[in-house]
Amino acid sequence: MTKIALILSPGFADWEYAFIAGAGGPFYGLDVGFFTPQPGKLTSQGGLECEVKRGIEDLMSWDPSVVAVIGGTVWETSAAPNLDALLKHQRNRGAAIAGICGGTLAQARAGLLDEIPHTSNTAEFLQTATSYQGNARYVESAVAVEANGIVTASGTAPASFAAEVFRLAGVEQGAVQQFRQMMASEH
């Protein structure tokens, strides 16, 4: 079974992972796992209290096909977890790395956006990642951008983000297209 790791942090954005978690397992047969830098209780932006028992050490040996860093309030602060080693390790072993909203800051800090087309909330938003060198490759986009197994999206693009994660996880192309159409039909 194909594995997708979702990394949540304190103040995680409720809407940014929902399509992946809600549809990934039940509809596409994916093994969706939740991880956090500090295992324990977390509260989302919307006030959902949950307990995530698996930490980064567990993720290092879980071997997912896709690692998705979910945005939230912590990524723009000095308390942002350092995921550089984890993301580089997972990328080097062949995993796709996805980031949405604040999760793109983790990708930028790890140097994953320096050489590929990518997006985020805004170009200025990524400038807060001091090691970020990808300014020239930033793409203004309302939908997720994928390049060489790296997915980026603004916080307003959870449906296209999920579709790209599903595609990179090996979900059949027709099913991914059907998912995109279902999500787009509301708009």
Side-chain angles (χ1 to χ4, degrees):
M1 180 179 293
T2 301
K3 298 176 183 177
I4 297 175
L6 299 177
I7 299 177
L8 303 180
S9 58
F12 65 91
D14 305 74
W15 63 96
E16 293 177 358
Y17 74 92
F19 292 128
I20 298 168
F27 298 112
Y28 303 123
L30 302 170
D31 185 1
V32 179
F34 293 92
F35 300 85
T36 187
Q38 294 291 327
K41 294 186 181 193
L42 299 175
T43 302
S44 74
Q45 282 184 11
L48 173 69
E49 294 181 9
C50 66
E51 184 173 0
V52 179
K53 296 181 180 181
R54 293 188 283 184
I56 298 306
E57 304 78 36
D58 300 305
L59 177 51
M60 291 294 266
S61 62
W62 198 57
D63 293 337
S65 295
V66 182
V67 174
V69 184
I70 306 305
T73 56
V74 75
W75 295 109
E76 297 173 70
T77 73
S78 61
N82 183 335
L83 300 181
D84 295 3
L86 169 76
L87 297 180
K88 289 175 183 177
H89 169 78
Q90 293 296 331
R91 183 69 181 149
N92 287 339
R93 56 165 283 285
I97 307 295
I100 183 168
C101 189
T104 62
L105 292 173
Q107 291 173 302
R109 290 178 184 126
L112 299 178
L113 306 183
D114 292 347
E115 302 295 326
I116 61 162
H118 59 277
T119 196
S120 184
N121 292 345
T122 65
E124 294 77 26
F125 181 75
L126 286 175
Q127 297 303 316
T128 64
T130 55
S131 58
Y132 172 64
Q133 300 295 311
N135 322 32
R137 291 176 179 79
Y138 181 82
V139 177
E140 190 68 40
S141 179
V143 298
V145 171
E146 186 274 331
N148 195 29
I150 303 288
V151 179
T152 52
S154 74
T156 59
S160 61
F161 180 71
E164 287 300 323
V165 167
F166 292 151
R167 185 179 67 77
L168 290 173
V171 172
E172 193 269 328
Q173 183 178 350
V176 173
Q177 186 59 30
Q178 181 184 31
F179 175 83
R180 284 183 191 275
Q181 290 170 338
M182 285 188 316
M183 296 300 109
S185 67
E186 181 177 345
H187 306 284

